[in-house]
Amino acid sequence: MEAKKRYDKLIKARSNYLKRAEEAASLTIPQLYTGNYDNENDGQSYPNPYQSLGARGVNNLANKIILTLFPPATAFFKMGMNPITLKEMRKGEGEISQALQILEKSIVSEMEISQLRASLVDMLKQCIVGGSALLHIPRVDNPKVISMTNFGIKRSKSKLILEIIIKECLYYSELDKETKDQISKSNEITEDIIHDKKELDVYTVIKRQDDGMYKEHQDILGMEIKGTYGLHQAKELPYVFVPFVDRGEHYGRSYVEDFIGDLNSYEGLRKSVLEAAAESARIIYLIKPNATLNIKKLQSANSGDVLMGNIDDVGTLQADKRMDLQIAQQEMEILRMDLSTMFLLDSSVRRNAERVTAEEIRRVSQELEVSLGGIYSTLANVLQTPLVKLYLIRLKEKGLINDALKDSIDLEVTTGSAALGRGTEFNAISTFIQTMQATLGQEFSSYIKMPEMIARVANSLDIGTSELVKTQEEIQAEQQAAQQAQLEQQAVAPMINGANKPQQG
């Protein structure tokens, strides 16, 4: 089936999700889902809500989740190796741990260089408001966020992706020469398209095959473009579908959707109070019909002027709705507090600092788990783990994998709360050392491989030892040099002593 027809069929299931997303966006960040996607332009207008609590809540929640899932300059994951593979490599666990630690830092560095964080913030805002987003992680270029308005997806009840079709709009001048030559044969090519007066719809089709692989190609004007074909394993698919709340449907459900009633009520009360306050600020004078004071004189009078008249002839119109406004304001304050709690606006667990401790991150992750119904664990599975694997592939293709791990393809990735356990490892190692020293005394050192222990302690503290701690070869070389110097000194000593003896006459 032609990609356009297949896309139009897929997005029929998207309409209900998109409608809810537009409603949620109108109360939070309207520009995320404007409601006019076919004729979208840069100058498109959208209604502004009467309150900013929804926007502040979405921004705060998105930033808090990102800082917890992806702390700056810190590995949010932990890499390990299958024990069988580790045994076959015949290398110490400490040495492998150090190599894995370097690999972790390399992956984090590659993520920062590719500007992944900025894309993740935008993607997470879309997920909080709309429920779904698609993240494209190419092998070379920077990541790209694809809004729910630009893709259709089909998933099984077991949450397996069966098909994705992405719709993009490009100008003719953006295409490469081979693509231009191919689509020039189409009858749908017009002068407006060639002169960039009209955009082309480009469809990227990703479909699961019977063998579990995913086939990818692009379609323009009903033609499959040569050179765009790709075949991916499931774990290497460069398109990461991120549902905020995954209930096994084709699309995810948003966080705002669960509290749309409170947001609607707060929006309505806020509008009513603002309009009532504006109406109360109006000053309207009433003058008795038979008053001696002239209306024009009253209108043109300046502050401090003296007018001839009776004070009882002039009054002001008052609505006297203060009690009603107080009730509305009380209800609005209750809703504000509830919404602030839902969006974690009142939380002060994490310090506003560039670097935070693992304990602080752990506490915020626990707060997210309790407040958001396990969203931290969900995002660790659907977002963190695929990202680490895709960036690991990027490093392999760039040839940046450590020699100790180059031949290993059995790397294990641990994300979520389990990845924050390095402090626990250090405490366990410290307890072990103290217990053994108390039990064995001075004999403890004869049972321990000191280089291995140093490597494990350093790894538990997230400290690299490549240029800090001497290797076993360096230690042996120094010992040999010391022994050689001692032998040379012993050989020279008798000659010096003989020369210093007094000669007998």
Side-chain angles (χ1 to χ4, degrees):
M1 185 183 295
E2 185 181 330
K4 182 181 184 304
K5 294 180 180 179
R6 184 61 189 158
Y7 176 78
D8 292 339
K9 186 175 181 179
L10 281 181
I11 63 176
K12 287 182 179 179
R14 188 189 67 184
S15 57
N16 291 331
Y17 299 92
L18 200 54
K19 185 177 180 180
R20 298 285 285 179
E22 292 167 7
E23 183 182 358
S26 67
L27 299 171
T28 52
I29 306 177
Q31 61 266 33
L32 289 178
Y33 299 94
T34 57
N36 183 16
Y37 310 111
D38 294 332
N39 300 315
E40 189 173 1
N41 57 75
D42 294 338
Q44 183 175 348
S45 61
Y46 44 83
N48 290 319
Y50 281 84
Q51 43 77 33
S52 62
L53 182 63
R56 288 193 294 114
V58 171
N59 289 326
N60 176 76
L61 188 59
N63 290 324
K64 183 161 291 186
I65 293 175
I66 288 298
L67 285 171
T68 306
L69 290 173
F70 304 94
T74 305
F76 58 87
F77 56 95
K78 182 181 177 183
M79 304 204 75
M81 189 171 293
N82 188 291
I84 298 176
T85 305
L86 182 61
K87 186 175 181 180
E88 291 175 352
M89 294 179 69
R90 297 180 179 179
K91 294 186 179 182
E93 185 177 339
E95 181 184 354
I96 295 298
S97 297
Q98 285 294 309
L100 290 172
Q101 184 183 17
I102 294 172
L103 180 58
E104 291 170 6
K105 292 183 177 180
S106 299
I107 292 176
V108 172
S109 177
E110 181 69 18
M111 289 179 174
E112 296 295 340
I113 292 173
S114 66
Q115 301 178 5
L116 174 65
R117 186 175 299 276
S119 299
L120 289 174
V121 173
D122 181 31
M123 179 216 67
L124 203 53
K125 289 180 183 179
Q126 294 186 30
C127 288
I128 293 172
V129 176
S132 304
L134 193 65
L135 191 62
H136 181 206
I137 309 293
R139 299 293 173 87
V140 179
D141 297 330
N142 290 347
K144 182 180 180 181
V145 179
I146 303 170
S147 172
M148 183 172 61
T149 60
N150 294 324
F151 73 88
I153 188 171
K154 181 180 179 181
R155 297 199 302 162
S156 66
K157 294 297 182 181
S158 59
K159 305 177 183 180
L160 184 67
I161 295 176
L162 303 177
E163 186 178 12
I164 301 174
I165 300 181
I166 304 165
K167 179 183 177 182
E168 297 177 283
C169 294
L170 298 177
Y171 286 109
Y172 183 80
S173 60
E174 297 181 73
L175 305 177
D176 56 62
K177 185 179 183 303
E178 290 76 9
T179 304
K180 290 179 181 178
D181 293 339
Q182 185 176 351
I183 66 174
S184 63
K185 302 175 184 178
S186 173
N187 296 328
E188 298 183 34
I189 285 289
T190 63
E191 292 294 324
D192 288 343
I193 293 177
I194 294 176
H195 294 93
D196 288 349
K197 294 181 180 180
K198 184 179 179 181
E199 291 180 313
L200 283 164
D201 291 335
V202 180
Y203 296 92
T204 303
V205 181
I206 303 102
K207 192 169 184 179
R208 190 175 188 271
Q209 306 298 299
D210 294 337
D211 58 359
M213 302 286 283
Y214 285 88
K215 183 180 178 182
E216 177 186 4
H217 75 272
Q218 287 188 333
D219 183 294
I220 303 177
L221 300 177
M223 304 174 64
E224 294 187 5
I225 305 302
K226 298 178 181 178
T228 62
Y229 296 98
L231 200 61
H232 310 282
Q233 295 183 10
K235 63 181 180 179
E236 297 180 355
L237 185 66
Y239 297 92
V240 182
F241 175 68
V242 185
F244 197 82
V245 178
D246 196 352
R247 295 172 181 163
E249 301 170 304
H250 293 303
Y251 298 85
R253 295 287 182 174
S254 72
Y255 182 71
V256 175
E257 186 175 337
D258 291 342
F259 311 105
I260 197 75
D262 282 355
L263 274 171
N264 265 320
S265 300
Y266 186 75
E267 172 78 7
L269 286 173
R270 183 70 172 172
K271 179 182 179 181
S272 299
V273 170
L274 286 175
E275 290 177 345
E279 190 67 25
S280 299
R282 296 175 61 195
I283 301 177
I284 299 176
Y285 293 101
L286 299 178
I287 299 180
K288 289 182 179 180
N290 58 350
T292 57
L293 182 62
N294 186 281
I295 295 177
K296 290 184 178 180
K297 289 184 178 180
L298 180 63
Q299 289 178 331
S300 60
N302 295 319
S303 178
D305 288 353
V306 179
L307 301 177
M308 183 71 70
N310 189 341
I311 193 172
D312 295 330
D313 291 343
V314 181
T316 56
L317 181 63
Q318 294 183 350
D320 196 19
K321 302 288 289 181
R322 285 176 295 177
M323 291 297 297
D324 296 336
L325 283 176
Q326 286 180 1
I327 295 175
Q329 288 174 336
Q330 289 173 1
E331 291 297 322
M332 193 171 65
E333 180 62 19
I334 293 173
L335 286 171
R336 188 197 67 80
M337 293 177 63
D338 288 345
L339 289 169
S340 296
T341 302
M342 294 169 189
F343 286 116
L344 305 183
L345 285 170
D346 297 330
S347 173
S348 59
V349 173
R350 193 191 63 80
R351 292 181 295 113
N352 185 17
E354 182 179 352
R355 295 183 65 88
V356 293
T357 64
E359 179 60 28
E360 289 176 305
I361 297 172
R362 189 179 294 108
R363 290 172 62 189
V364 176
S365 68
Q366 292 172 354
E367 181 184 30
L368 292 174
E369 286 283 270
V370 174
S371 303
L372 307 185
I375 192 61
Y376 181 76
S377 297
T378 301
L379 290 177
N381 293 327
V382 303
L383 181 60
Q384 284 185 318
T385 303
L387 284 179
V388 174
K389 291 181 178 179
L390 289 174
Y391 273 89
L392 180 60
I393 294 172
R394 284 172 67 122
L395 290 182
K396 285 182 178 179
E397 292 191 352
K398 290 184 177 181
L400 300 178
I401 300 296
N402 190 288
D403 291 338
L405 307 173
K406 187 172 294 184
D407 298 329
S408 175
I409 58 173
D410 196 16
L411 294 175
E412 299 175 350
V413 179
T414 304
T415 55
S417 300
L420 303 174
R422 279 200 173 88
T424 305
E425 290 182 11
F426 173 73
N427 293 332
I429 294 173
S430 299
T431 303
F432 169 75
I433 293 174
Q434 293 173 5
T435 304
M436 291 298 99
Q437 284 179 337
T439 304
L440 300 175
Q442 295 180 353
E443 295 182 5
F444 171 68
S445 58
S446 61
Y447 288 93
I448 289 294
K449 297 179 181 179
M450 195 58 63
E452 181 70 15
M453 188 185 74
I454 293 173
R456 294 196 186 189
V457 172
N459 182 61
S460 67
L461 293 173
D462 198 18
I463 297 174
T465 61
S466 59
E467 300 296 332
L468 179 63
V469 179
K470 295 178 182 179
T471 64
Q472 194 68 24
E473 292 77 9
E474 290 174 337
I475 294 174
Q476 291 176 355
E478 291 180 357
Q479 290 175 348
Q480 291 176 358
Q483 291 175 357
Q484 184 67 25
Q486 185 177 4
L487 291 174
E488 292 177 354
Q489 185 176 4
Q490 291 176 354
V492 173
M495 298 176 60
I496 296 176
N497 293 333
N500 291 335
K501 286 182 179 180
Q503 296 181 355
Q504 296 179 356

